[in-house]
């Protein structure tokens, strides 16, 4: 017989064995451990018979009050079959044997009204998430690189956003920056009238993938909408 407490453990292994036609037989392993204070580590060693050996390192943090949490992830794989997939022709010249991803994500609440969201992704090629991180790929085919600051007042919501492409094999509309001000529907004095407003001001850059025949261009856009209801 074997006994084990189901309480949370500071140090533990994770194992995921399996087989599929893309990866062959595989064994994905991770070792989780504390580092200091709210920071934890997670080290990956993955074996795939069709694709090779991958290694990764994650650092995660979250305070006990849940005012902030985040993660830094790094992963590297020497891929034995980099062109394997339904897009073989599209991959040629784009995907090489060295595959990697770097990711940073962080959210923080400075007060009950002020929050920050940060996400940055740097990839070796546009297919690395589809090949090895399918869950993330299904959630976002093209990962975002953005920073958002939001303030929620009693009568309005104001936000500053910066969105910037980091990998030149993607196309994107960069927002550097974008300011928004939303006023939710609210009564005008004691009257039967209500007012709401949505406003934004952006400096936009339309960027195309490297090698595209289209030329990048930029524009300034200001949009202001106001509605009165009775």
């Amino acid at each position: 017989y074997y006994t084990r407490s189901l309480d949370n453990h500071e140090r533990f292994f994770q194992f995921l064995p399996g087989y599929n036609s893309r990866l062959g037989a595989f064994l994905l392993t991770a070792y989780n451990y504390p580092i200091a204070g709210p920071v934890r580590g997670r080290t990956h060693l993955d074996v795939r018979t069709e694709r090779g050996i991958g290694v990764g390192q994650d650092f995660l943090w979250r305070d006990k009050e849940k005012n902030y949490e985040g993660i830094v992830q790094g992963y590297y794989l020497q891929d034995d079959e980099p062109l394997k997939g339904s897009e073989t022709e599209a991959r040629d010249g784009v995907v090489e044997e060295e595959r990697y991803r770097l990711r940073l994500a962080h959210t923080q609440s400075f007060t009950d009204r002020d929050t920050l969201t940060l996400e940055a992704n740097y990839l070796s090629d546009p297919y690395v998430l589809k090949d090895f991180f399918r869950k993330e790929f299904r959630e976002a085919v093209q990962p975002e690189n953005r920073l958002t600051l939001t303030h929620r007042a009693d009568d309005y919501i104001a936000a500053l956003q910066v969105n910037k492409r980091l990998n030149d094999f993607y196309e994107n509309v960069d927002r550097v920056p974008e300011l928004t001000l939303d006023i939710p529907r609210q009564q005008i004095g004691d009257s039967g009238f209500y007012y709401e407003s949505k406003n934004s001001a952006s400096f936009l850059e339309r960027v195309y993938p490297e090698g595209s025949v289209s030329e990048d261009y930029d524009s300034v856009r200001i949009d202001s909408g106001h509605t009165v209801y009775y």
Side-chain angles (χ1 to χ4, degrees), residues 57-76:
Q57 179 63 52
D58 305 341
F59 296 102
L60 311 90
W61 54 88
R62 183 171 72 172
D63 71 333
K64 294 181 179 179
E65 292 75 24
K66 298 183 179 180
N67 290 325
Y68 64 84
E69 63 179 322
I71 185 171
V72 170
Q73 295 176 288
Y75 194 84
Y76 176 84

PDB file of all heavy atoms in Angstrom, residues 57-76:
ATOM      1  N   GLN A  57      12.146  26.626 -18.027  1.00  0.00           N
ATOM      2  CA  GLN A  57      12.205  27.138 -16.662  1.00  0.00           C
ATOM      3  C   GLN A  57      11.147  28.217 -16.491  1.00  0.00           C
ATOM      4  O   GLN A  57      11.060  29.145 -17.303  1.00  0.00           O
ATOM      5  CB  GLN A  57      13.587  27.716 -16.350  1.00  0.00           C
ATOM      6  CG  GLN A  57      13.720  28.282 -14.945  1.00  0.00           C
ATOM      7  CD  GLN A  57      13.531  27.208 -13.874  1.00  0.00           C
ATOM      8  OE1 GLN A  57      14.187  26.170 -13.917  1.00  0.00           O
ATOM      9  NE2 GLN A  57      12.646  27.458 -12.920  1.00  0.00           N
ATOM     10  N   ASP A  58      10.336  28.067 -15.451  1.00  0.00           N
ATOM     11  CA  ASP A  58       9.310  29.051 -15.108  1.00  0.00           C
ATOM     12  C   ASP A  58       9.603  29.631 -13.736  1.00  0.00           C
ATOM     13  O   ASP A  58      10.085  28.929 -12.846  1.00  0.00           O
ATOM     14  CB  ASP A  58       7.916  28.418 -15.067  1.00  0.00           C
ATOM     15  CG  ASP A  58       7.551  27.706 -16.360  1.00  0.00           C
ATOM     16  OD1 ASP A  58       8.179  27.989 -17.394  1.00  0.00           O
ATOM     17  OD2 ASP A  58       6.623  26.877 -16.323  1.00  0.00           O
ATOM     18  N   PHE A  59       9.303  30.900 -13.578  1.00  0.00           N
ATOM     19  CA  PHE A  59       9.288  31.550 -12.268  1.00  0.00           C
ATOM     20  C   PHE A  59       7.906  32.165 -12.094  1.00  0.00           C
ATOM     21  O   PHE A  59       7.449  32.928 -12.938  1.00  0.00           O
ATOM     22  CB  PHE A  59      10.373  32.620 -12.163  1.00  0.00           C
ATOM     23  CG  PHE A  59      11.766  32.075 -12.263  1.00  0.00           C
ATOM     24  CD1 PHE A  59      12.486  32.179 -13.447  1.00  0.00           C
ATOM     25  CD2 PHE A  59      12.351  31.447 -11.181  1.00  0.00           C
ATOM     26  CE1 PHE A  59      13.769  31.665 -13.555  1.00  0.00           C
ATOM     27  CE2 PHE A  59      13.645  30.928 -11.266  1.00  0.00           C
ATOM     28  CZ  PHE A  59      14.352  31.036 -12.462  1.00  0.00           C
ATOM     29  N   LEU A  60       7.239  31.808 -10.999  1.00  0.00           N
ATOM     30  CA  LEU A  60       5.886  32.273 -10.739  1.00  0.00           C
ATOM     31  C   LEU A  60       5.858  33.023  -9.416  1.00  0.00           C
ATOM     32  O   LEU A  60       6.589  32.684  -8.481  1.00  0.00           O
ATOM     33  CB  LEU A  60       4.905  31.094 -10.675  1.00  0.00           C
ATOM     34  CG  LEU A  60       4.929  30.059 -11.793  1.00  0.00           C
ATOM     35  CD1 LEU A  60       5.905  28.922 -11.454  1.00  0.00           C
ATOM     36  CD2 LEU A  60       3.554  29.473 -12.022  1.00  0.00           C
ATOM     37  N   TRP A  61       4.987  34.015  -9.323  1.00  0.00           N
ATOM     38  CA  TRP A  61       4.849  34.752  -8.064  1.00  0.00           C
ATOM     39  C   TRP A  61       3.397  35.167  -7.857  1.00  0.00           C
ATOM     40  O   TRP A  61       2.663  35.439  -8.797  1.00  0.00           O
ATOM     41  CB  TRP A  61       5.764  35.982  -8.056  1.00  0.00           C
ATOM     42  CG  TRP A  61       5.573  36.889  -9.224  1.00  0.00           C
ATOM     43  CD1 TRP A  61       4.689  37.922  -9.348  1.00  0.00           C
ATOM     44  CD2 TRP A  61       6.287  36.854 -10.466  1.00  0.00           C
ATOM     45  NE1 TRP A  61       4.790  38.530 -10.569  1.00  0.00           N
ATOM     46  CE2 TRP A  61       5.763  37.897 -11.280  1.00  0.00           C
ATOM     47  CE3 TRP A  61       7.305  36.038 -10.967  1.00  0.00           C
ATOM     48  CZ2 TRP A  61       6.245  38.143 -12.560  1.00  0.00           C
ATOM     49  CZ3 TRP A  61       7.772  36.285 -12.245  1.00  0.00           C
ATOM     50  CH2 TRP A  61       7.242  37.330 -13.024  1.00  0.00           C
ATOM     51  N   ARG A  62       2.996  35.179  -6.598  1.00  0.00           N
ATOM     52  CA  ARG A  62       1.669  35.662  -6.213  1.00  0.00           C
ATOM     53  C   ARG A  62       1.681  35.917  -4.714  1.00  0.00           C
ATOM     54  O   ARG A  62       2.082  35.051  -3.937  1.00  0.00           O
ATOM     55  CB  ARG A  62       0.577  34.645  -6.548  1.00  0.00           C
ATOM     56  CG  ARG A  62      -0.815  35.172  -6.216  1.00  0.00           C
ATOM     57  CD  ARG A  62      -1.908  34.276  -6.726  1.00  0.00           C
ATOM     58  NE  ARG A  62      -2.001  33.040  -5.970  1.00  0.00           N
ATOM     59  CZ  ARG A  62      -2.988  32.149  -6.133  1.00  0.00           C
ATOM     60  NH1 ARG A  62      -3.924  32.352  -7.047  1.00  0.00           N
ATOM     61  NH2 ARG A  62      -2.997  31.053  -5.420  1.00  0.00           N
ATOM     62  N   ASP A  63       1.250  37.118  -4.296  1.00  0.00           N
ATOM     63  CA  ASP A  63       1.228  37.414  -2.880  1.00  0.00           C
ATOM     64  C   ASP A  63      -0.015  36.799  -2.243  1.00  0.00           C
ATOM     65  O   ASP A  63      -0.986  36.438  -2.909  1.00  0.00           O
ATOM     66  CB  ASP A  63       1.282  38.921  -2.623  1.00  0.00           C
ATOM     67  CG  ASP A  63      -0.014  39.610  -3.011  1.00  0.00           C
ATOM     68  OD1 ASP A  63      -0.717  39.097  -3.897  1.00  0.00           O
ATOM     69  OD2 ASP A  63      -0.311  40.673  -2.439  1.00  0.00           O
ATOM     70  N   LYS A  64       0.032  36.649  -0.936  1.00  0.00           N
ATOM     71  CA  LYS A  64      -1.051  35.968  -0.220  1.00  0.00           C
ATOM     72  C   LYS A  64      -2.372  36.727  -0.345  1.00  0.00           C
ATOM     73  O   LYS A  64      -3.437  36.122  -0.344  1.00  0.00           O
ATOM     74  CB  LYS A  64      -0.672  35.803   1.255  1.00  0.00           C
ATOM     75  CG  LYS A  64       0.516  34.875   1.475  1.00  0.00           C
ATOM     76  CD  LYS A  64       0.840  34.733   2.955  1.00  0.00           C
ATOM     77  CE  LYS A  64       2.012  33.789   3.172  1.00  0.00           C
ATOM     78  NZ  LYS A  64       2.352  33.646   4.619  1.00  0.00           N
ATOM     79  N   GLU A  65      -2.310  38.042  -0.429  1.00  0.00           N
ATOM     80  CA  GLU A  65      -3.532  38.847  -0.551  1.00  0.00           C
ATOM     81  C   GLU A  65      -4.048  38.891  -1.983  1.00  0.00           C
ATOM     82  O   GLU A  65      -5.080  39.496  -2.263  1.00  0.00           O
ATOM     83  CB  GLU A  65      -3.283  40.277  -0.060  1.00  0.00           C
ATOM     84  CG  GLU A  65      -3.043  40.402   1.442  1.00  0.00           C
ATOM     85  CD  GLU A  65      -1.655  39.923   1.850  1.00  0.00           C
ATOM     86  OE1 GLU A  65      -0.752  39.938   0.987  1.00  0.00           O
ATOM     87  OE2 GLU A  65      -1.483  39.522   3.013  1.00  0.00           O
ATOM     88  N   LYS A  66      -3.316  38.275  -2.927  1.00  0.00           N
ATOM     89  CA  LYS A  66      -3.684  38.220  -4.344  1.00  0.00           C
ATOM     90  C   LYS A  66      -3.771  39.608  -4.980  1.00  0.00           C
ATOM     91  O   LYS A  66      -4.571  39.856  -5.878  1.00  0.00           O
ATOM     92  CB  LYS A  66      -5.006  37.466  -4.535  1.00  0.00           C
ATOM     93  CG  LYS A  66      -4.937  36.018  -4.093  1.00  0.00           C
ATOM     94  CD  LYS A  66      -6.247  35.294  -4.360  1.00  0.00           C
ATOM     95  CE  LYS A  66      -6.153  33.837  -3.922  1.00  0.00           C
ATOM     96  NZ  LYS A  66      -7.414  33.096  -4.171  1.00  0.00           N
ATOM     97  N   ASN A  67      -2.924  40.529  -4.481  1.00  0.00           N
ATOM     98  CA  ASN A  67      -2.848  41.850  -5.097  1.00  0.00           C
ATOM     99  C   ASN A  67      -2.044  41.825  -6.396  1.00  0.00           C
ATOM    100  O   ASN A  67      -2.199  42.711  -7.242  1.00  0.00           O
ATOM    101  CB  ASN A  67      -2.222  42.851  -4.127  1.00  0.00           C
ATOM    102  CG  ASN A  67      -3.138  43.162  -2.955  1.00  0.00           C
ATOM    103  OD1 ASN A  67      -4.348  43.215  -3.110  1.00  0.00           O
ATOM    104  ND2 ASN A  67      -2.559  43.347  -1.785  1.00  0.00           N
ATOM    105  N   TYR A  68      -1.169  40.837  -6.538  1.00  0.00           N
ATOM    106  CA  TYR A  68      -0.406  40.714  -7.765  1.00  0.00           C
ATOM    107  C   TYR A  68      -0.039  39.252  -7.994  1.00  0.00           C
ATOM    108  O   TYR A  68       0.039  38.449  -7.061  1.00  0.00           O
ATOM    109  CB  TYR A  68       0.866  41.569  -7.722  1.00  0.00           C
ATOM    110  CG  TYR A  68       1.860  41.157  -6.660  1.00  0.00           C
ATOM    111  CD1 TYR A  68       2.782  40.130  -6.902  1.00  0.00           C
ATOM    112  CD2 TYR A  68       1.896  41.777  -5.425  1.00  0.00           C
ATOM    113  CE1 TYR A  68       3.692  39.755  -5.940  1.00  0.00           C
ATOM    114  CE2 TYR A  68       2.796  41.407  -4.457  1.00  0.00           C
ATOM    115  CZ  TYR A  68       3.706  40.394  -4.710  1.00  0.00           C
ATOM    116  OH  TYR A  68       4.600  40.007  -3.749  1.00  0.00           O
ATOM    117  N   GLU A  69       0.142  38.914  -9.260  1.00  0.00           N
ATOM    118  CA  GLU A  69       0.632  37.595  -9.631  1.00  0.00           C
ATOM    119  C   GLU A  69       1.220  37.673 -11.024  1.00  0.00           C
ATOM    120  O   GLU A  69       0.873  38.554 -11.825  1.00  0.00           O
ATOM    121  CB  GLU A  69      -0.478  36.547  -9.591  1.00  0.00           C
ATOM    122  CG  GLU A  69      -1.615  36.773 -10.571  1.00  0.00           C
ATOM    123  CD  GLU A  69      -2.652  35.671 -10.474  1.00  0.00           C
ATOM    124  OE1 GLU A  69      -2.257  34.501 -10.276  1.00  0.00           O
ATOM    125  OE2 GLU A  69      -3.852  35.967 -10.591  1.00  0.00           O
ATOM    126  N   GLY A  70       2.146  36.763 -11.311  1.00  0.00           N
ATOM    127  CA  GLY A  70       2.776  36.797 -12.617  1.00  0.00           C
ATOM    128  C   GLY A  70       3.615  35.559 -12.864  1.00  0.00           C
ATOM    129  O   GLY A  70       3.748  34.677 -12.014  1.00  0.00           O
ATOM    130  N   ILE A  71       4.196  35.519 -14.059  1.00  0.00           N
ATOM    131  CA  ILE A  71       5.013  34.372 -14.449  1.00  0.00           C
ATOM    132  C   ILE A  71       6.005  34.797 -15.522  1.00  0.00           C
ATOM    133  O   ILE A  71       5.707  35.645 -16.365  1.00  0.00           O
ATOM    134  CB  ILE A  71       4.117  33.214 -14.970  1.00  0.00           C
ATOM    135  CG1 ILE A  71       4.947  31.970 -15.268  1.00  0.00           C
ATOM    136  CG2 ILE A  71       3.342  33.646 -16.205  1.00  0.00           C
ATOM    137  CD1 ILE A  71       4.111  30.744 -15.582  1.00  0.00           C
ATOM    138  N   VAL A  72       7.200  34.231 -15.460  1.00  0.00           N
ATOM    139  CA  VAL A  72       8.196  34.312 -16.524  1.00  0.00           C
ATOM    140  C   VAL A  72       8.460  32.889 -16.971  1.00  0.00           C
ATOM    141  O   VAL A  72       8.736  32.015 -16.145  1.00  0.00           O
ATOM    142  CB  VAL A  72       9.500  34.977 -16.052  1.00  0.00           C
ATOM    143  CG1 VAL A  72      10.588  34.821 -17.107  1.00  0.00           C
ATOM    144  CG2 VAL A  72       9.283  36.447 -15.773  1.00  0.00           C
ATOM    145  N   GLN A  73       8.367  32.651 -18.293  1.00  0.00           N
ATOM    146  CA  GLN A  73       8.559  31.319 -18.837  1.00  0.00           C
ATOM    147  C   GLN A  73       9.601  31.348 -19.945  1.00  0.00           C
ATOM    148  O   GLN A  73       9.589  32.234 -20.797  1.00  0.00           O
ATOM    149  CB  GLN A  73       7.250  30.774 -19.432  1.00  0.00           C
ATOM    150  CG  GLN A  73       6.150  30.540 -18.409  1.00  0.00           C
ATOM    151  CD  GLN A  73       4.859  30.106 -19.075  1.00  0.00           C
ATOM    152  OE1 GLN A  73       4.203  30.916 -19.717  1.00  0.00           O
ATOM    153  NE2 GLN A  73       4.507  28.841 -18.935  1.00  0.00           N
ATOM    154  N   GLY A  74      10.497  30.382 -19.899  1.00  0.00           N
ATOM    155  CA  GLY A  74      11.456  30.190 -20.977  1.00  0.00           C
ATOM    156  C   GLY A  74      11.466  28.724 -21.373  1.00  0.00           C
ATOM    157  O   GLY A  74      11.414  27.839 -20.509  1.00  0.00           O
ATOM    158  N   TYR A  75      11.500  28.465 -22.688  1.00  0.00           N
ATOM    159  CA  TYR A  75      11.474  27.076 -23.155  1.00  0.00           C
ATOM    160  C   TYR A  75      12.318  26.963 -24.418  1.00  0.00           C
ATOM    161  O   TYR A  75      12.274  27.850 -25.283  1.00  0.00           O
ATOM    162  CB  TYR A  75      10.037  26.639 -23.450  1.00  0.00           C
ATOM    163  CG  TYR A  75       9.873  25.140 -23.620  1.00  0.00           C
ATOM    164  CD1 TYR A  75       9.713  24.311 -22.519  1.00  0.00           C
ATOM    165  CD2 TYR A  75       9.897  24.562 -24.885  1.00  0.00           C
ATOM    166  CE1 TYR A  75       9.579  22.937 -22.668  1.00  0.00           C
ATOM    167  CE2 TYR A  75       9.767  23.190 -25.045  1.00  0.00           C
ATOM    168  CZ  TYR A  75       9.607  22.385 -23.928  1.00  0.00           C
ATOM    169  OH  TYR A  75       9.474  21.027 -24.074  1.00  0.00           O
ATOM    170  N   TYR A  76      13.066  25.839 -24.515  1.00  0.00           N
ATOM    171  CA  TYR A  76      13.949  25.626 -25.667  1.00  0.00           C
ATOM    172  C   TYR A  76      13.873  24.177 -26.097  1.00  0.00           C
ATOM    173  O   TYR A  76      13.842  23.261 -25.263  1.00  0.00           O
ATOM    174  CB  TYR A  76      15.393  25.982 -25.312  1.00  0.00           C
ATOM    175  CG  TYR A  76      16.374  25.690 -26.433  1.00  0.00           C
ATOM    176  CD1 TYR A  76      16.580  26.599 -27.457  1.00  0.00           C
ATOM    177  CD2 TYR A  76      17.072  24.480 -26.451  1.00  0.00           C
ATOM    178  CE1 TYR A  76      17.468  26.324 -28.489  1.00  0.00           C
ATOM    179  CE2 TYR A  76      17.963  24.198 -27.475  1.00  0.00           C
ATOM    180  CZ  TYR A  76      18.156  25.124 -28.487  1.00  0.00           C
ATOM    181  OH  TYR A  76      19.026  24.835 -29.505  1.00  0.00           O
TER     182      TYR A  76
END
